[in-house]
Amino acid sequence: MVLRTVREKKMISFKQFWTEKTLVGLGLGQFLSLLITSTGFSSSELAKKGIDAPTSQSFLNYVLLTIVYGSVMLYRRQALKAKWYYYVVLGLVDVEANYLVVKAYQYASITSVMLLDCWSIPSVMLLTFIFLKTKYRFRKIAGVIVCVAGLVMVVFSDVHSGDRSGGSNPRKGDLLVITGATLYAISNVSEEFLVKNADRVELMSFLGLFGAIISAIQISIVERNELKSIRWTAGAAFPFFGFSLAMFLFYSFVPVLLKISGSTMLNLSLLTSDMWAVVIRIFAYHEKVDWMYFLAFVAVAVGLIIYSGGDKEEDQRRAGVADEDAERSKHFDEEAGCDNLNRGTMAGSSKTGDTSKHDYTTSIEGRGIVENQNIG
């Protein structure tokens, strides 16, 4: 009997851990991670062909967002749920975050960029705690630690295999990465707030519009000569437009994951993009990788499961607290109703007593008058 109870408890906890929300969050997070991996390979192919125009690559993505989601918004003809200047600031932050992180690869080693890019995770947790009042339990923090430990294993694997380049200016590259990761955190937290309080279509429309305007201004200043020197062949156009399409899909599904699991889960899921890149290197390019990559992939996967699991238990706990409050309020209302009913009954009894007393007095007086008449 005891063993059966223990098994039933384990089955219940397992069902609470593997909820539909958890599975959707994990699956969508890995889909976004694969999209980021494809953008990385597209950028590397463009770099091999001598094309270095990160803002121009992002510009086409913002144009697609404006056309697709702007059309839907015009069809709806709804009023704005957030101030337009919020989207201006968000577009500026997003464009510069993409530019700074890509630019950092010119000055710092790839391992330094990978390690310092993790700065976005504690930044997101701090910003959501301050502005969105998100409370992280010990399980969430443990999942983040396991994920970051897995990424550190990737860095050590690069060092162990000798795949490390010093970079022309490591300090400048590190500063660019830290600044870009901080801007990524601000962008993700802002998007999470707008998705949960405004509208996803409105967010994508104005992010695309102002992102395209800011990118166009930046291209005209920074990358104008680079665009003139590009020879638009099929080999150059295919990765360029492939990058833009992958970024469009990434931006389209990011708000969905933000609404389901939050910005911290998004940044943790993107940590596996380096691991998916390793898988592509193994099967597509037939390259050999260090054994620590596989251990790191397992660590990040376990950390994601720890972080995202058990949401149903928390929802049930919150629902239980709400039910207790409702039951308590109902109990207080019933007590108040009983008190009012008792007071009404006592008042009615008093009035009835007064009326019967008045009728009794009237009957005595009437009887006296009749008797007097009889005597007369």
Side-chain angles (χ1 to χ4, degrees):
M1 187 68 181
V2 176
L3 292 175
R4 180 183 297 177
T5 305
V6 173
R7 290 177 181 175
E8 289 178 354
K9 288 183 178 179
K10 288 183 178 180
M11 291 179 63
I12 292 173
S13 61
F14 184 78
K15 290 180 180 179
Q16 290 177 348
F17 190 86
W18 290 105
T19 61
E20 182 180 357
K21 181 180 177 182
T22 301
L23 295 176
V24 171
L26 289 173
L28 186 57
Q30 293 313 298
F31 175 67
L32 295 176
S33 182
L34 284 171
L35 290 175
I36 286 294
T37 305
S38 63
T39 59
F41 275 92
S42 299
S43 298
S44 64
E45 290 296 324
L46 291 173
K48 290 178 182 179
K49 298 180 183 299
I51 300 175
D52 183 19
T55 309
S56 301
Q57 295 173 210
S58 301
F59 172 74
L60 186 56
N61 164 51
Y62 292 124
V63 172
L64 288 174
L65 290 174
T66 305
I67 294 174
V68 174
Y69 291 98
S71 302
V72 176
M73 190 172 177
L74 290 175
Y75 176 78
R76 289 182 177 181
R77 295 182 180 181
Q78 293 180 350
L80 294 180
K81 297 182 180 180
K83 303 295 184 180
W84 63 269
Y85 47 82
Y86 291 163
Y87 297 110
V88 176
V89 177
L90 178 60
L92 178 62
V93 169
D94 195 75
V95 170
E96 298 308 322
N98 289 326
Y99 177 79
L100 290 174
V101 173
V102 174
K103 196 71 175 178
Y105 284 97
Q106 298 180 7
Y107 302 103
S109 63
I110 186 173
T111 50
S112 298
V113 174
M114 287 166 55
L115 181 61
L116 293 175
D117 196 30
C118 294
W119 172 250
S120 62
I121 296 174
S123 300
V124 164
M125 296 185 71
L126 180 63
L127 291 173
T128 52
F129 177 77
I130 294 175
F131 295 103
L132 301 184
K133 308 300 180 184
T134 303
K135 295 181 180 180
Y136 295 96
R137 301 177 66 183
F138 177 76
R139 189 191 70 251
K140 302 279 187 183
I141 298 174
V144 172
I145 293 173
V146 174
C147 285
V148 175
L151 193 65
V152 171
M153 289 181 188
V154 175
V155 177
F156 281 124
S157 177
D158 289 336
V159 175
H160 181 260
S161 60
D163 184 18
R164 184 185 179 115
S165 58
S168 60
N169 193 344
R171 292 184 180 179
K172 184 176 181 180
D174 293 346
L175 182 61
L176 289 175
V177 175
I178 293 174
T179 307
T182 305
L183 292 179
Y184 270 136
I186 296 173
S187 176
N188 291 336
V189 174
S190 301
E191 288 183 20
E192 180 181 353
F193 175 79
L194 291 172
V195 163
K196 293 181 178 178
N197 295 276
D199 183 64
R200 185 174 72 93
V201 175
E202 177 181 315
L203 170 63
M204 291 293 99
S205 300
F206 282 93
L207 177 60
L209 176 62
F210 293 114
I213 295 173
I214 295 169
S215 297
I217 296 173
Q218 186 163 315
I219 290 170
S220 63
I221 299 173
V222 179
E223 299 178 1
R224 181 175 54 188
N225 296 327
E226 183 66 28
L227 287 177
K228 290 180 180 179
S229 62
I230 296 176
R231 295 181 179 179
W232 292 105
T233 61
F238 182 76
F240 191 90
F241 289 103
F243 176 90
S244 301
L245 180 60
M247 287 296 290
F248 171 75
L249 293 175
F250 177 80
Y251 274 71
S252 298
F253 285 99
V254 159
V256 180
L257 183 60
L258 289 176
K259 193 169 185 178
I260 294 175
S261 304
S263 52
T264 304
M265 180 63 181
L266 170 64
N267 285 270
L268 291 176
S269 298
L270 296 183
L271 291 180
T272 58
S273 60
D274 298 316
M275 287 58 170
W276 290 120
V278 172
V279 174
I280 295 175
R281 283 168 56 187
I282 294 173
F283 292 100
Y285 297 98
H286 304 286
E287 297 180 3
K288 294 182 179 180
V289 296
D290 194 72
W291 61 271
M292 292 186 70
Y293 270 105
F294 302 100
L295 185 61
F297 187 88
V298 173
V300 173
V302 171
L304 286 173
I305 293 173
I306 293 174
Y307 180 86
S308 60
D311 291 332
K312 186 175 181 180
E313 183 180 355
E314 293 182 4
D315 295 339
Q316 288 179 349
R317 180 177 57 82
R318 292 174 185 174
V321 172
D323 292 340
E324 289 180 0
D325 292 338
E327 189 68 26
R328 192 178 303 164
S329 176
K330 183 179 179 182
H331 180 67
F332 287 155
D333 292 339
E334 289 178 353
E335 288 185 351
C338 291
D339 291 340
N340 293 330
L341 182 61
N342 292 332
R343 290 176 183 175
T345 304
M346 292 175 64
S349 300
S350 176
K351 290 180 180 179
T352 305
D354 294 339
T355 304
S356 59
K357 183 178 180 180
H358 177 71
D359 294 339
Y360 177 72
T361 305
T362 305
S363 62
I364 291 176
E365 290 177 354
R367 188 179 299 171
I369 293 172
V370 172
E371 289 179 353
N372 289 332
Q373 288 177 354
N374 293 330
I375 292 172

